[in-house]
Amino acid sequence: MDLEDVPKSLTHTHTTLTVMNVVEQELSAAQRLIYGRRRIVDALYQDQPDKFKSLQATDIQSISLEGDLICCDLGECLLYVERSKVISNFWQHRTRTPSYFDYKIWRNGLVSGNWKGTPIAALDYSPSPVRTALEPHLGRPPRIATDKEGVQKLYFIREDDHACSCQSWSQQDENKEELKSEFDRFSDIEFKPVCKHMQWAMANIRLQSLSFSSRKSNDSYNPRICVYRFDHQRGLLFYRLTYDGIKADARWLPEETWKERQVYDSRGTATGECWDLFETALSQDPPFRMAAYSQSVATVLSGSRSR
């Protein structure tokens, strides 16, 4: 990052470099969780995107705490940011809700160690020969994503205990008293351990409850249908609405006739548009039935007759 891009009111030039490890050893485990470089950079970008669009986490050589401020050593200057703003960014990051298409309840998930609960699997949409062959008939068949070591990204949610088996939740739980103290001192946010898997699970429970309620209260024939398809490569959710059922001459292509929603923003963050679409469709009176699209589904639908 160019130094002229940094607001002068937030910097102080100096000539002595501080060794990163010496300064950061003074931070507690909870403080290191909150005041990470990425969270600092993201908080600065949120506050002044034009000023800090080129700032990178690697530009910060060391971090120290001074009262209600965080002092970041950029080598040729010191950059200060309010602790409350980074805490807020940390909380936004930990409480974000992933896209509906990022995870799936994986019924074949096995109990891992002492963990029991609802198995949540991160989905991998990358291509493979088998998946490419099946896609025209079944849509994009998901598989469980793996980390760099090849371990499946499968997590267990215990809704009643508000707990998750992931490392993020475990780190927060281990340091929850100190994290709560930091939050109470520098923000008005009520801290409790949370993670994106728990947020996804709660959003999915709300959606499934809404779907169940709509089916129960409208068990007669429903001609209102919302057909949807997720384009993972472009991060788009395509959907079509019909109000009079499926007729023999129904046409689901070309793609230009579909409406679309942006699933992720330019930074790769889930927009919540998919959850909003599904919940809105299911909340109508009468509600829309939801149907995931594939060519085989289109064949069945197009061959049906409306009542």
Side-chain angles (χ1 to χ4, degrees), residues 60-196:
I60 302 176
Q61 297 187 6
S62 65
I63 299 168
S64 60
L65 304 178
E66 299 182 11
D68 61 354
L69 297 176
I70 304 169
C71 176
C72 304
D73 187 344
L74 301 185
E76 297 182 18
C77 71
L78 298 177
L79 175 63
Y80 292 87
V81 57
E82 296 175 29
R83 288 165 79 163
S84 61
K85 291 183 178 179
V86 180
I87 288 175
S88 177
N89 184 273
F90 171 85
W91 187 245
Q92 291 173 20
H93 180 69
R94 295 301 173 110
T95 58
R96 70 194 187 280
T97 301
S99 158
Y100 170 81
F101 301 101
D102 287 344
Y103 293 89
K104 181 181 178 66
I105 303 294
W106 205 262
R107 297 299 180 185
N108 294 329
L110 300 177
V111 174
S112 176
N114 296 324
W115 277 96
K116 296 181 180 180
T118 304
I120 306 293
L123 299 182
D124 177 11
Y125 289 92
S126 60
S128 71
V130 173
R131 291 155 65 83
T132 301
L134 290 175
E135 187 171 7
H137 307 287
L138 303 177
R140 174 70 73 171
R143 60 182 176 187
I144 301 181
T146 57
D147 60 20
K148 294 179 180 179
E149 284 72 38
V151 179
Q152 290 184 329
K153 294 182 178 181
L154 182 63
Y155 311 98
F156 294 87
I157 307 295
R158 300 204 315 267
E159 291 87 351
D160 293 342
D161 298 330
H162 302 285
C164 178
S165 63
C166 73
Q167 183 180 18
S168 174
W169 186 90
S170 298
Q171 288 177 332
Q172 294 174 70
D173 188 57
E174 291 171 4
N175 299 280
K176 60 185 175 183
E177 295 305 323
E178 193 173 353
L179 284 166
K180 185 178 185 308
S181 176
E182 195 78 11
F183 270 65
D184 290 345
R185 184 180 176 188
F186 297 103
S187 78
D188 56 1
I189 300 171
E190 182 179 353
F191 173 80
K192 59 181 178 181
V194 68
C195 68
K196 63 182 181 181

Side-chain angles (χ1 to χ4, degrees), residues 234 236-239 255 258-262 273 277:
R234 290 184 287 175
L236 294 175
L237 172 62
F238 292 95
Y239 67 99
E255 186 176 276
W258 291 61
K259 296 181 180 180
E260 67 181 53
R261 294 282 187 97
Q262 195 76 40
E273 289 286 335
L277 173 66

Side-chain angles (χ1 to χ4, degrees), residues 16 20 24 44 58-59 63 96 107 160 172 203 222 228 233 282 292:
T16 303
M20 181 192 310
E24 294 193 352
L44 288 166
T58 52
D59 293 330
I63 299 168
R96 70 194 187 280
R107 297 299 180 185
D160 293 342
Q172 294 174 70
N222 180 8
Y228 65 90
Q233 292 183 329
L282 291 169

Side-chain angles (χ1 to χ4, degrees), residues 210-227 240-247 252 278 280-291 301 304-307:
L210 189 58
S211 178
F212 176 79
S213 298
S214 67
R215 291 196 304 270
K216 187 175 181 181
S217 59
N218 297 273
D219 55 0
S220 59
Y221 173 69
N222 180 8
R224 293 155 62 92
I225 301 172
C226 176
V227 181
R240 289 281 303 274
L241 300 177
T242 177
Y243 297 84
D244 58 355
I246 305 301
K247 298 181 179 179
W252 299 100
F278 295 156
T280 299
L282 291 169
S283 299
Q284 300 302 302
D285 186 18
F288 284 87
R289 287 187 291 145
M290 307 302 299
L301 292 175
S304 302
R305 293 291 192 275
S306 62
R307 301 182 184 180

